[in-house]
């Protein structure tokens, strides 16, 4: 666990000696033994709070996103009054990039047509600083006007036919190329101009680099990159089966980090405590390597503003878990759109207030800093204002309890980024496993939902962060079909299990190397005690037969059959681990038989000796391997047997160890437990809602009392337990290091502080 002192040391190292930190590590598959700033440990140096970068202690952020016309009418003082009423630490306001909101002298930096004689950014900067808020200049590096295309054709992305790429909705703007001097000359010139004229504390770029797909541009710079570094033009879409894509992926990530580091250096030329903030996010659906991004980012901003369609409500908490997995306690913010960023999007009306509250609550619960965002300086809809102010003033009133030192979870879920980004079942472009690309996250989603229902306290660990210092914090590691793992990833997992850690893994975990090269067996087969054959074709109406009783089968006493996973790897037990107990196969496969018509619905092979699960025990370590995709099948079918099987298995993995925190009661909740500066905090998010899996949440449905057991440090006497949202003391008892209390009920969100 990273200590506060290490955190301070790491933060200040980032601040004062940027050159001392080499954020580059060998790419996935060979994580560096010293991967990232969090590993910088200074044992004998205690740094004062004043020496931390200012953004390390920031707890509330806001943003007014100006449009080109705003300089005509913007009322600076009333806006600054509003943002100050939210007790913000930092405010983001538009500096420039696409549009300059000040009288810039940088050529081809387009001044707002409506700027007139005003220096709007200057007025805003002075007013922001006068109210004691930090100011971050919001920039956009992604588009510029046609006059720049004519003067600097080399700055812009090109199609195969050489034409520049206009913006889809605003076609007078053209997309700039990340490999061009626009990023290395023009943007730094703008940063320097703003930094010299105005008291800014940092710079944020909208839209770049993002965590999504790579772009493929055909400008002259990019063609040279393809020739010299890639070997050929890479495919336009994600395709890790293609060798040129693989090379381009690394070259692309290298360029992102190079630009990021260069901009960080530029913005700190005059102000050593300034910071460059890129635009990340993507929730659990990322393509770019977030671990590498986390190594260069001093501040991880997730531009993950809301959800649309059938996206689940916990999408924001998942964003927090991904970001925490790569930032190790360093600053993470998450933007909440106050406007209706659904599909379709309405920029100028408010989102449903309950949805906005739940998004901000997830941000805070998962240890991120809320960043409240409105577009346009002349709103006609004011409903969003009170929603943000009420939540932020409550946060401010309880601020010490949101200063987290560490997560208390003792279960880790491996975040299988490369599987989510690249997973294929064949070599054809459309061969995503499960038929569509979106399904690559369903394995994780199914496990996640089972953990919510089972009320397990857990963290994500990124597959490139499986260092012993990281995994050693956890009693069990859960792997939702990490099909694509490098030899090195597998070796780290093997060592974790050999050291007494428990493991759950599903389906094709470790079947392929980090780029999807088929190993034709499971690299972790020695750990699972399994040898893999082919993947059985996706099929419903297959079963798992209960052959013998086992703790993972508690609750299934009245049935001999459980629903079978839709996809499974045919496996046989190796039985080659003399040091361990023989593998147990209490569940066997009953293969598919017709589901229609009813006359034909009977098992042709009612019993096999093929394992549907393999359980091993070796000292403290317990290993459960499910050759089927029970996680994904649970998510897609909703059959609760599969969720219960996963929950029972997590319980069994612990052996006799008790979880550090438990919470019993009705309702679907997501929980986080943190050690905080003043003590401890238990966060409970109430998702019990008809709009849990389809937005927006319109109102809350309160849940009743929740019984909690919370283990505190040995010798720590708890003096008060307080429900911060209900604003009242909670009766409690303490028995040794176990504190017991009952949370009286939760409407939207509750934070119980133990001090
Ligand atoms: Zn280009």
């Amino acid at each position: 666990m990273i200590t506060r002192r290490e955190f301070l040391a790491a933060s200040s190292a980032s601040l004062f000696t940027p050159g001392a930190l080499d954020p580059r590590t060998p790419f996935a598959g060979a994580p560096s033994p010293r991967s990232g700033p969090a590993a910088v440990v200074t044992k004998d140096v205690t740094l004062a709070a004043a020496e931390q970068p200012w953004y390390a202690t920031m707890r509330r952020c806001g943003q007014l996103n100006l449009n080109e016309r705003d300089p005509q009418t913007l009322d600076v003082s009333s806006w600054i009054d509003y943002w100050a009423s939210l007790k913000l630490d930092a405010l983001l306001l538009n500096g420039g990039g696409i549009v300059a909101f000040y009288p810039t002298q940088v050529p081809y930096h387009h001044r707002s047509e409506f700027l007139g004689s005003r220096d709007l950014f200057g007025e805003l900067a002075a007013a922001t600083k006068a109210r004691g808020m930090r100011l971050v200049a919001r920039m956009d590096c992604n588009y510029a006007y046609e006059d720049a295309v004519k003067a600097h054709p080399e700055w812009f992305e090109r199609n195969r036919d050489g034409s520049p790429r206009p913006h889809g909705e605003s076609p007078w703007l053209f997309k700039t190329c990340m490999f061009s001097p626009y990023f290395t000359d023009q943007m730094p010139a703008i940063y320097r101009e703003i930094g010299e004229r105005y008291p800014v504390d940092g710079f944020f770029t909208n839209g770049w680099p993002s965590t999504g797909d790579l772009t493929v541009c055909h400008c002259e710079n990019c063609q040279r990159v393809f020739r010299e570094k890639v070997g050929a033009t890479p495919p336009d879409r994600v395709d890790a089966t293609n060798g040129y894509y693989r090379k381009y992926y690394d070259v692309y990530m290298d360029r992102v980090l190079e630009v990021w580091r260069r901009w960080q250096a530029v913005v700190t030329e005059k102000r050593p405590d300034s910071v460059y903030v890129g635009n990340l996010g993507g929730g659990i659906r990322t393509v770019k390597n977030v671990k590498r991004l986390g190594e260069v980012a001093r501040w991880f901003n997730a531009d993950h503003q809301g959800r649309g369609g059938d996206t689940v409500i916990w999408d924001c908490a998942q964003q927090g878990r991904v970001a925490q997995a790569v930032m190790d306690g360093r600053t993470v913010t998450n933007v909440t759109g106050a406007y209706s960023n659904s599909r379709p999007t309405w920029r100028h009306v408010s989102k449903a207030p309950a949805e906005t509250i739940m998004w901000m609550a997830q941000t805070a619960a998962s240890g991120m800093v809320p960043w409240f965002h409105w577009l346009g300086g002349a709103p006609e809809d004011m409903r969003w204002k009170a929603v943000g102010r009420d939540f932020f003033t409550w946060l401010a009133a309880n601020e010490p309890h949101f200063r987290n030192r560490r997560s208390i979870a003792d279960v880790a879920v491996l975040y299988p980024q490369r599987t989510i980004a690249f997973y294929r079942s064949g070599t054809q472009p459309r061969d995503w496993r499960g038929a569509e690309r979106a399904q690559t996250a369903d394995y994780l989603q199914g496990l996640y939902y089972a953990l919510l229902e089972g009320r397990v306290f857990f963290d994500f660990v990124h597959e490139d962060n499986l260092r012993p210092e990281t995994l050693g914090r956890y009693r069990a590691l859960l792997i939702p079909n990490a099909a694509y793992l490098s030899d090195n990833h597998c070796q780290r997992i093997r060592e974790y299990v050999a050291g007494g850690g428990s493991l759950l893994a599903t389906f094709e975990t470790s079947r392929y190397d980090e780029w999807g090269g088929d190993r034709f067996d499971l690299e972790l087969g020695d750990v699972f005690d399994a040898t893999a054959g082919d993947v059985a074709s996706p099929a419903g109406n297959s079963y798992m037969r209960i052959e013998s009783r086992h703790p993972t089968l508690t609750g299934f006493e009245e049935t001999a059959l459980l629903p079978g996973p839709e996809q499974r790897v045919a496996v046989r037990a190796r039985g080659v681990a003399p040091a361990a107990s023989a593998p147990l196969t209490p569940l066997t496969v009953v293969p598919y038989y017709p589901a229609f018509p009813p006359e034909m619905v009977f098992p042709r092979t009612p019993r096999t000796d093929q394992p549907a699960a393999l359980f091993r025990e070796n000292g403290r370590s317990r290993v459960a391997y499910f050759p089927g995709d029970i996680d994904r099948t649970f998510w897609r079918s909703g059959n609760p047997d599969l969720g219960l099987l996963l929950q029972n298995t997590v319980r069994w993995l612990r052996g006799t160890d008790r979880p550090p925190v438990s919470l019993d009661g009705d309702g679907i909740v997501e929980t986080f437990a943190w050690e905080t500066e003043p003590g401890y905090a238990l966060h409970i998010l109430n998702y019990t809602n008809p709009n849990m899996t389809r937005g927006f949440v319109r109102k809350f449905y309160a849940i009743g009392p929740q019984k909690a057991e919370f283990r505190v440090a040995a010798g720590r006497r708890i003096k008060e337990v307080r429900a911060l949202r209900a604003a009242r003391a909670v009766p409690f008892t303490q028995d040794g290091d176990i504190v017991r209390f009952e949370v009286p009920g939760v409407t939207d969100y509750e934070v119980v502080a133990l001090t």
Side-chain angles (χ1 to χ4, degrees):
M1 193 60 59
I2 183 165
T3 66
R4 176 152 184 82
R5 192 159 61 188
E6 288 160 8
F7 172 75
L8 294 177
S11 303
S12 74
S14 307
L15 170 57
F16 292 113
T17 54
L21 288 173
D22 179 2
R24 295 189 54 186
T25 56
F27 189 42
S32 155
R34 201 205 109 232
S35 54
V40 177
V41 177
T42 308
K43 287 215 159 35
D44 303 317
V45 181
T46 304
L47 293 162
E51 291 176 273
Q52 297 181 60
W54 65 266
Y55 46 89
T57 54
M58 169 181 71
R59 299 310 310 167
R60 292 167 303 280
C61 249
Q63 180 185 3
L64 172 61
N65 214 336
L66 301 178
N67 62 57
E68 180 156 20
R69 201 182 59 187
D70 276 331
Q72 269 189 342
T73 56
L74 194 87
D75 178 355
V76 169
S77 69
S78 71
W79 271 110
I80 299 300
D81 282 349
Y82 173 70
W83 292 113
S85 78
L86 269 62
K87 305 188 185 302
L88 296 187
D89 297 306
L91 178 58
L92 287 102
L93 294 165
N94 302 54
I98 296 176
V99 172
F101 290 87
Y102 67 96
T104 178
Q105 300 299 323
V106 175
Y108 306 107
H109 186 207
H110 175 92
R111 282 190 209 185
S112 161
E113 284 179 37
F114 304 91
L115 192 61
S117 58
R118 253 186 129 170
D119 177 355
L120 183 58
F121 186 69
E123 292 173 42
L124 287 164
T128 302
K129 301 301 285 191
R131 300 297 285 270
M133 294 181 281
R134 296 281 182 167
L135 172 64
V136 177
R138 181 271 189 199
M139 314 294 292
D140 195 309
C141 53
N142 303 291
Y143 290 91
Y145 279 74
E146 194 168 9
D147 59 339
V149 181
K150 291 196 172 116
H152 287 282
E154 75 281 9
W155 284 355
F156 291 85
E157 285 197 355
R158 301 281 165 172
N159 297 312
R160 278 176 196 272
D161 65 3
S163 58
R165 293 174 168 169
H167 190 279
E169 285 192 76
S170 302
W172 50 92
L173 300 175
F174 294 88
K175 183 82 173 68
T176 55
C177 177
M178 174 184 86
F179 286 91
S180 80
Y182 190 83
F183 277 61
T184 44
D185 296 345
Q186 178 74 350
M187 287 305 298
I190 298 170
Y191 297 144
R192 286 189 176 106
E193 183 178 69
I194 291 175
E196 278 162 15
R197 291 195 197 176
Y198 307 106
V200 293
D201 300 286
F203 291 84
F204 163 69
T205 53
N206 177 55
W208 190 87
S210 96
T211 57
D213 292 359
L214 319 181
T215 49
V216 178
C217 158
H218 303 276
C219 77
E220 283 184 17
N221 284 304
C222 286
Q223 287 181 32
R224 192 175 60 246
V225 167
F226 299 157
R227 262 196 323 272
E228 294 174 2
K229 295 186 175 170
V230 179
T233 303
D236 289 329
R237 296 214 177 115
V238 175
D239 182 6
T241 64
N242 183 304
Y244 299 120
Y245 179 86
R246 298 177 185 183
K247 276 195 182 158
Y248 184 57
Y249 185 90
D250 286 350
V251 167
Y252 195 100
M253 288 302 305
D254 287 347
R255 176 67 176 179
V256 167
L257 300 198
E258 178 197 340
V259 169
W260 193 307
R261 282 195 300 268
R262 187 183 292 226
W263 289 358
Q264 175 65 29
V266 168
V267 305
T268 49
E269 283 168 1
K270 285 254 157 54
R271 290 274 310 268
D273 67 338
S274 185
V275 60
Y276 164 69
V277 188
N279 183 307
L280 303 173
I284 58 170
R285 289 174 194 78
T286 58
V287 176
K288 298 191 186 97
N289 186 309
V290 283
K291 179 63 170 67
R292 289 194 74 193
L293 291 166
E295 284 159 9
V296 74
R298 281 136 205 251
W299 163 355
F300 183 116
N301 179 48
D303 186 5
H304 200 60
Q305 303 197 37
R307 61 174 177 152
D310 57 3
T311 305
V312 294
I313 184 63
W314 52 85
D315 199 51
C316 180
Q318 288 184 327
Q319 174 67 74
R321 295 181 188 278
V322 170
Q324 300 292 356
V326 301
M327 292 299 280
D328 270 336
R330 289 171 295 132
T331 304
V332 181
T333 47
N334 187 79
V335 186
T336 294
Y339 61 94
S340 188
N341 57 327
S342 45
R343 284 194 299 272
T345 288
W346 290 278
R347 292 290 213 178
H348 283 164
V349 293
S350 303
K351 190 183 285 176
E355 178 83 10
T356 303
I357 290 166
M358 188 50 80
W359 211 256
M360 293 188 292
Q362 289 179 65
T363 303
S366 61
M368 301 190 288
V369 173
W371 161 332
F372 194 53
H373 176 210
W374 178 258
L375 266 104
E380 296 183 74
D381 182 346
M382 305 298 181
R383 294 172 292 177
W384 57 279
K385 284 191 166 179
V387 179
R389 184 165 47 223
D390 291 351
F391 192 82
F392 273 54
T393 48
W394 172 77
L395 275 181
N398 295 286
E399 176 169 327
H401 303 293
F402 293 91
R403 293 192 182 279
N404 299 329
R405 287 185 167 159
R406 64 180 185 100
S407 162
I408 291 178
D410 72 340
V411 170
V413 172
L414 186 139
Y415 174 54
Q417 184 177 6
R418 302 176 73 92
T419 305
I420 287 173
F422 302 140
Y423 194 29
R424 298 289 180 96
S425 61
T427 56
Q428 296 307 305
R430 302 195 73 76
D431 287 346
W432 295 103
R433 172 69 72 194
E436 59 180 272
R437 165 145 172 58
Q439 295 190 12
T440 60
D442 281 359
Y443 309 89
L444 174 57
Q445 204 66 278
L447 175 65
Y448 201 96
Y449 186 54
L451 296 178
L452 296 191
E453 279 196 334
R455 300 191 160 201
V456 177
F457 289 75
F458 62 96
D459 295 328
F460 278 1
V461 294
H462 191 279
E463 62 197 6
D464 291 345
N465 189 19
L466 302 178
R467 303 173 293 160
E469 309 91 282
T470 304
L471 285 187
R473 302 168 193 168
Y474 301 103
R475 179 70 186 89
L477 174 65
L478 316 181
I479 308 184
N481 187 37
Y484 289 20
L485 290 175
S486 71
D487 289 353
N488 187 285
H489 293 144
C490 292
Q491 184 55 27
R492 299 283 177 135
I493 294 164
R494 190 176 287 116
E495 288 164 5
Y496 170 70
V497 171
S502 289
L503 183 72
L504 178 155
T506 65
F507 196 37
E508 292 199 282
T509 292
S510 79
R511 171 83 180 242
Y512 307 91
D513 69 22
E514 67 272 34
W515 288 112
D518 197 343
R519 293 190 171 106
F520 303 103
D521 200 348
L522 307 171
E523 175 66 17
L524 288 170
D526 57 326
V527 176
F528 305 154
D529 215 7
T531 295
D534 293 334
V535 173
S537 298
N541 207 48
S542 72
Y543 298 86
M544 297 188 281
R545 178 174 295 287
I546 297 175
E547 298 283 1
S548 57
R549 287 293 143 197
H550 187 265
T552 57
L553 300 174
T554 303
F556 299 128
E557 289 75 15
E558 300 297 319
T559 179
L561 290 182
L562 295 178
E566 195 175 15
Q567 308 177 91
R568 66 182 166 82
V569 181
V571 302
R572 58 187 168 77
R574 290 190 182 186
V576 292
S581 64
L584 291 165
T585 56
L587 285 171
T588 55
V589 171
V590 178
Y592 159 83
Y593 50 89
F596 298 96
E599 292 85 341
M600 299 298 116
V601 184
F602 59 93
R604 308 307 195 269
T605 313
R607 179 164 253 128
T608 70
D609 60 1
Q610 283 185 49
L614 286 164
F615 300 112
R616 295 178 62 195
E617 294 183 42
N618 190 2
R620 282 188 83 235
S621 171
R622 295 178 168 193
V623 176
Y625 170 59
F626 293 94
D629 63 348
I630 63 168
D631 35 20
R632 174 183 163 279
T633 304
F634 172 51
W635 183 240
R636 296 185 76 80
S637 70
N639 188 301
D641 290 352
L642 297 169
L644 180 58
L645 181 59
L646 285 163
Q647 291 154 17
N648 284 343
T649 303
V650 172
R651 202 167 297 124
W652 175 75
L653 292 179
R654 274 183 200 288
T656 54
D657 294 352
R658 292 168 68 164
V661 189
S662 67
L663 186 72
D664 292 315
D666 283 338
I668 298 293
V669 300
E670 181 155 16
T671 53
F672 291 85
W674 298 96
E675 186 183 321
T676 61
E677 284 185 10
Y680 303 89
L682 166 62
H683 296 246
I684 307 166
L685 296 152
N686 177 17
Y687 296 153
T688 315
N689 201 293
N691 298 106
M692 182 174 76
T693 56
R694 185 173 183 84
F696 286 144
V697 169
R698 293 127 164 86
K699 60 170 287 195
F700 298 111
Y701 298 85
I703 53 174
Q706 309 283 313
K707 276 193 162 56
E709 278 192 15
F710 203 114
R711 192 164 69 226
V712 299
R716 173 83 188 238
R717 282 317 294 181
I718 295 300
K719 297 185 185 70
E720 187 183 20
V721 175
R722 191 165 179 80
L724 303 181
R725 208 105 171 104
R728 61 172 150 165
V730 174
F732 70 98
T733 60
Q734 182 165 3
D735 178 9
D737 56 1
I738 301 292
V739 179
R740 292 187 179 84
F741 53 91
E742 188 175 278
V743 186
V746 181
T747 301
D748 50 4
Y749 170 42
E750 188 53 274
V751 181
V752 183
L754 289 71
T755 54

